[in-house]
Amino acid sequence: MLDRILVPISVVAAAVGAVLMVVAAAAPVTTAAAPAATSTTAATSTATTTTTTTAPESTTTTPTTTTTTTAAPAPPEPTPIERVLGYARDQIGRPYRKGAAGPDAFDCSGLVRAAYLTVGVDLPHYSVTQASRGRSVDWRAEPIEPGDLVFIRGDTPVIDLGHVGLAISATEWIVASRPGQLVHIGPIPMAAIQRVRRMVEA
């Protein structure tokens, strides 16, 4: 029974195969591989460059005004004689008092002593002794100079070289003369001069 069945199946299979061969021969199938459609889209990237320009800061330059102050030159230092005479002048109007050497009253040699102490010259408080100090000046041959000590007869009782004054020029002096008379400037009694001494050279 099985043999009977198998035979017809073989026959059928053979018949089907024959049919397929016929169909294949009759209509050959050509298979062409269609090329793949390649669509390439080039993405164009546009680079946008943003340039930011910063406006320069507004700079206002204010001109600097330089004020140069030139100090007036300092006056020269006074000379020793100028200091001596300056002190003596400052005493004009002070009263005479015998034996006084300032600051409120003076006698003749006291005024001279106080004036010269301002420059470190220490004179005795007595005109006769002062007349031996410093350098002798021949007033007949050379002019008397400011600062010179001029001696004449004076004092009570009157003695040689008993009175002294401080010359401020060739013809004037500052003196403390006698009681009742203030320290003052007056003319030098040229005819009465006994001696002239110079304490400090100019």
Side-chain angles (χ1 to χ4, degrees):
M1 185 71 174
L2 181 57
D3 292 337
R4 290 180 191 151
I5 296 170
L6 290 174
V7 172
I9 291 172
S10 300
V11 173
V12 174
V16 173
V19 172
L20 289 175
M21 290 181 64
V22 172
V23 173
V29 178
T30 304
T31 303
T38 303
S39 175
T40 303
T41 303
T44 304
S45 175
T46 303
T48 303
T49 302
T50 303
T51 303
T52 303
T53 303
T54 303
E57 294 183 5
S58 176
T59 304
T60 303
T61 303
T62 302
T64 301
T65 303
T66 302
T67 303
T68 302
T69 303
T70 303
E77 288 291 321
T79 66
I81 291 302
E82 288 172 339
R83 290 166 60 187
V84 167
L85 297 182
Y87 178 87
R89 287 179 184 276
D90 288 344
Q91 311 318 309
I92 292 174
R94 305 261 186 207
Y96 175 95
R97 187 170 72 242
K98 187 174 179 63
D104 300 321
F106 298 88
D107 65 9
C108 65
S109 59
L111 176 64
V112 168
R113 171 179 165 75
Y116 267 96
L117 277 176
T118 64
V119 295
V121 177
D122 189 1
L123 296 174
H125 189 178
Y126 183 43
S127 63
V128 174
T129 309
Q130 288 177 353
S132 64
R133 300 296 178 89
R135 179 176 73 82
S136 178
V137 175
D138 183 358
W139 70 97
R140 300 179 187 87
E142 60 178 302
I144 295 171
E145 293 184 0
D148 287 348
L149 303 190
V150 181
F151 298 86
I152 62 174
R153 286 176 58 83
D155 206 352
T156 306
V158 175
I159 59 174
D160 287 341
L161 309 173
H163 183 58
V164 62
L166 182 64
I168 61 172
S169 70
T171 59
E172 289 187 308
W173 62 357
I174 296 176
V175 288
S177 298
R178 58 182 177 270
Q181 191 172 54
L182 304 178
V183 176
H184 65 282
I185 294 176
I188 297 173
M190 304 300 291
I193 294 176
Q194 291 185 309
R195 193 173 298 179
V196 176
R197 306 294 289 188
R198 186 163 296 161
M199 300 298 129
V200 177
E201 297 293 340

